[in-house]
Amino acid sequence: MRVMAQLAMVMNLDKCIGCHTCSVTCKQTWTNRDGVEYAWFNNVETKPGQGYPRRYEDQERWRGGWELRRGKLVPAAGGRLRRLANLFANPEMPALEDYYEPWTYDYRTLTDAPLGDDTPVARPVSAITGEPTSVRWGPNWEDSLGGAPEHARADPMVQRLGQEIRLEFEQSFMFYLPRICEHCLNPSCVASCPSGAMYKRSEDGIVLVDQDRCRGWRMCVSGCPYKKVYFNHRTGKAEKCTFCYPRLEVGLPTVCAETCVGRLRYIGVLLYDADRVGEAASEPDEQRLYQAQLGVFLDPHDPEVVRAAERAGVPHDWITAAQRSPVHSLITRYRVALPLHPEYRTMPMVWYIPPLSPVVDALAGTGFDGEEAGNLFGAIDALRIPLDYLAGMFTAGDPEPVRLALRRLAAMRSHMRAVNLGETPDPAASTGVGMDVGSLEAMYRLLAVAKYEDRYVIPTAAVGQAHDLEGIATTCSVGDEPAPGGRTDLFVWRDGERPAGMFPTLREKGKP
């Protein structure tokens, strides 16, 4: 057993209101500069929808993540020779139109227009070329179902359902999905990087890009199945979500979590057995990958695990934080948080509590008590948000873990409603989902009324050595892929030179 610590995040989708505050504050902090106008390290998608970049979940098209071939994990994008062949013309890398061409408005037309009979109009202008453009797509074109009737049927998850979804206004369903880099245990972006610039910090598991070593090959962009690595076409470097590591190193949460209006994000430490990661990611049955990843996590209260962590050099503050971690409670104790697309085999470390909200109003509209446990349990499979759709996102199609999570959330609602009204809680609400009353109430305190220090349990043991953390990398290779610790540049060029920009259509136009 080789114990390592990982900072992780859980988001409660039942509380996301789609205000995009997290996206805006992240944008202002990390990507408010030339070259990454199109990049959103944090974005909030409306589901059903194609997402950002468009249809990123279609791995048959983009070939990100890992595949299991003859019992061995290999990058879905292919081996070294195939990646070398795609180096200068990679058909599996999103183009600008798959993201969107960022724009602003010609406000000078409004401020400097002479007096006249006509009202001046500020036309959209490309933020990249500076030329007039037509707005055809955005980072969330289906926001609040705005474009759903036309575009939602192209959602890869909807197409996998094999059935027509209901998009009429009175029958439609939707929920918001905030997304950041998953900071995976088995990141395919790290294994795809030919220059070793992508690395995973051994202290906290955060995946970063060494800007000095990055050569702009963009293999990390195509290798990431979540498409959360971006290419800066001004600097010729890859950039991505940093999990706000400068803030975490001093005990502060990420900017997206700090500014979240719905208080739906939780940050904490998970202890895991690094020796099990490769085996878990190689689970042949995709629908068992969720359970396999759960088997990688360790119980921080187990004395044997604590001793092993101390022998491995995990600081005492990190072990204590893991014992208090809200992320550990939601993922492994209560089993209400689920990973996003475990079938990519990257072992993601940003997990989600599936949405339950519409069921109460739907039940109340039929004349039944929408908060009664028996009614709630019976309505789980009849949610407006199809259970199979959620299972396709969070458990590779297995509906049982999603059903259990939703039933536990429903049981918590029913129990706490009885408590708040002074009624005698129905014991079947807790026993029916394999929990006791104490666990239901503890889960309620965490999900509904948790204070700041309970939602963000971030150790600060590394503050004294924060300046050293950027240079610390850990090997992350599976199978015959090289570890990113050594320099494996395929080509080298002089300082100041870089490969062609990410968007050849713009370059061909001769735009600056």
Side-chain angles (χ1 to χ4, degrees):
M1 179 168 60
R2 182 161 59 98
V3 181
M4 297 187 74
Q6 166 92 32
L7 282 167
M9 180 181 287
V10 168
M11 302 190 206
N12 186 356
L13 299 184
D14 230 8
K15 300 173 72 174
C16 183
I17 61 174
C19 65
H20 300 271
T21 302
C22 53
S23 299
V24 173
T25 52
C26 176
K27 182 73 171 177
Q28 291 295 324
T29 303
W30 294 107
T31 60
N32 188 18
R33 61 190 180 283
D34 289 345
V36 280
E37 297 91 347
Y38 76 102
W40 295 79
F41 290 175
N42 181 111
N43 69 291
V44 182
E45 299 169 0
T46 296
K47 290 295 184 178
Q50 298 183 52
Y52 160 81
R54 202 179 323 188
R55 291 179 57 83
Y56 72 92
E57 294 166 297
D58 183 5
Q59 298 311 319
E60 293 183 2
R61 167 69 177 84
W62 301 118
R63 301 189 62 78
W66 301 90
E67 288 182 351
L68 200 62
R69 299 176 187 170
R70 296 184 294 275
K72 194 174 185 179
L73 275 180
V74 296
R80 299 184 188 91
L81 291 179
R82 190 176 190 277
R83 296 204 300 272
L84 179 61
N86 292 341
L87 196 58
F88 296 107
N90 188 349
E92 293 157 2
M93 186 179 68
L96 179 60
E97 54 267 24
D98 295 307
Y99 295 96
Y100 76 109
E101 184 169 3
W103 73 90
T104 183
Y105 292 99
D106 182 14
Y107 294 106
R108 185 172 297 178
T109 300
L110 300 181
T111 59
D112 297 349
L115 292 176
D117 296 332
D118 300 323
T119 301
V121 176
R123 298 185 180 278
V125 176
S126 170
I128 295 179
T129 67
E131 300 294 330
T133 186
S134 58
V135 179
R136 299 174 180 173
W137 195 258
N140 189 5
W141 204 245
E142 304 97 345
D143 192 14
S144 300
L145 292 182
E150 182 179 356
H151 300 291
R153 289 183 177 86
D155 180 344
M157 295 299 102
V158 170
Q159 293 178 346
R160 289 185 192 178
L161 285 178
Q163 62 189 46
E164 187 72 10
I165 62 172
R166 296 169 296 182
L167 290 174
E168 295 79 6
F169 178 78
E170 69 278 4
Q171 294 181 313
S172 62
F173 71 91
M174 60 164 281
F175 62 94
Y176 299 110
L177 180 72
R179 290 205 307 123
I180 64 173
C181 168
E182 296 286 334
H183 297 279
C184 307
L185 292 181
N186 183 33
S188 54
C189 60
V190 173
S192 300
C193 178
S195 62
M198 300 282 298
Y199 66 97
K200 184 175 177 66
R201 299 204 309 190
S202 58
E203 272 66 21
D204 50 23
I206 297 176
V207 177
L208 297 173
V209 184
D210 185 338
Q211 294 290 295
D212 292 331
R213 301 188 67 177
C214 179
R215 295 295 180 263
W217 299 123
R218 291 160 285 175
M219 292 299 174
C220 52
V221 177
S222 56
C224 173
Y226 303 97
K227 294 296 174 278
K228 276 300 176 181
V229 184
Y230 304 92
F231 181 70
N232 187 320
H233 57 89
R234 292 292 185 186
T235 65
K237 307 287 186 179
E239 299 185 17
K240 61 178 294 297
C241 162
T242 66
F243 213 62
C244 291
Y245 70 88
R247 294 174 56 89
L248 294 175
E249 287 169 359
V250 295
L252 295 175
T254 61
V255 168
C256 60
E258 180 82 72
T259 59
C260 177
V261 174
R263 299 182 178 181
L264 59 95
R265 302 186 187 225
Y266 300 80
I267 299 175
V269 176
L270 284 171
L271 299 181
Y272 68 97
D273 185 354
D275 290 336
R276 297 186 196 171
V277 172
E279 178 184 355
S282 302
E283 166 61 45
D285 186 353
E286 287 187 347
Q287 294 190 356
R288 292 188 57 82
L289 284 167
Y290 160 65
Q291 299 292 343
Q293 186 168 355
L294 284 179
V296 171
F297 300 139
L298 301 173
D299 182 2
H301 299 281
D302 186 338
E304 182 179 348
V305 171
V306 172
R307 288 192 294 270
E310 291 173 343
R311 289 194 301 269
V314 178
H316 178 72
D317 284 0
W318 284 70
I319 298 174
T320 303
Q323 294 171 342
R324 297 181 47 240
S325 172
V327 170
H328 173 265
S329 297
L330 295 170
I331 291 177
T332 66
R333 185 184 305 169
Y334 305 136
R335 302 286 178 95
V336 294
L338 303 168
L340 181 64
H341 292 299
E343 68 271 21
Y344 299 162
R345 300 182 183 273
T346 60
M347 314 290 279
M349 293 302 287
V350 176
W351 290 40
Y352 296 86
I353 298 174
L356 180 66
S357 294
V359 68
V360 175
D361 290 339
L363 280 174
T366 64
F368 292 95
D369 186 350
E371 298 280 3
E372 198 275 322
N375 293 338
L376 281 173
F377 289 170
I380 293 297
D381 288 330
L383 288 175
R384 267 194 177 184
I385 304 175
L387 195 64
D388 289 341
Y389 184 88
L390 296 175
M393 290 182 59
F394 300 123
T395 53
D398 182 7
E400 292 308 317
V402 181
R403 183 179 288 112
L404 176 62
L406 294 176
R407 284 170 60 91
R408 288 187 168 180
L409 295 172
M412 178 191 72
R413 289 189 180 190
S414 176
H415 175 82
M416 293 309 303
R417 183 228 195 183
V419 170
N420 292 330
L421 294 179
E423 301 174 352
T424 301
D426 183 359
S430 57
T431 58
V433 294
M435 299 179 70
D436 55 38
V437 171
S439 297
L440 278 183
E441 294 181 353
M443 186 168 71
Y444 167 78
R445 287 192 294 271
L446 184 57
L447 291 178
V449 296
K451 296 182 178 180
Y452 187 92
E453 60 271 16
D454 297 322
R455 289 183 285 124
Y456 311 128
V457 181
I458 303 168
T460 57
V463 171
Q465 62 202 45
H467 63 284
D468 296 328
L469 288 179
E470 276 193 80
I472 299 175
T474 181
T475 59
C476 185
S477 61
V478 177
D480 59 356
E481 289 300 312
R487 189 180 186 88
T488 56
D489 301 41
L490 298 179
F491 299 93
V492 180
W493 54 79
R494 297 186 301 274
D495 291 340
E497 294 183 352
R498 60 179 176 84
M502 184 177 183
F503 315 123
T505 56
L506 296 179
R507 302 281 81 80
E508 290 169 1
K509 295 178 181 179
K511 303 300 182 182

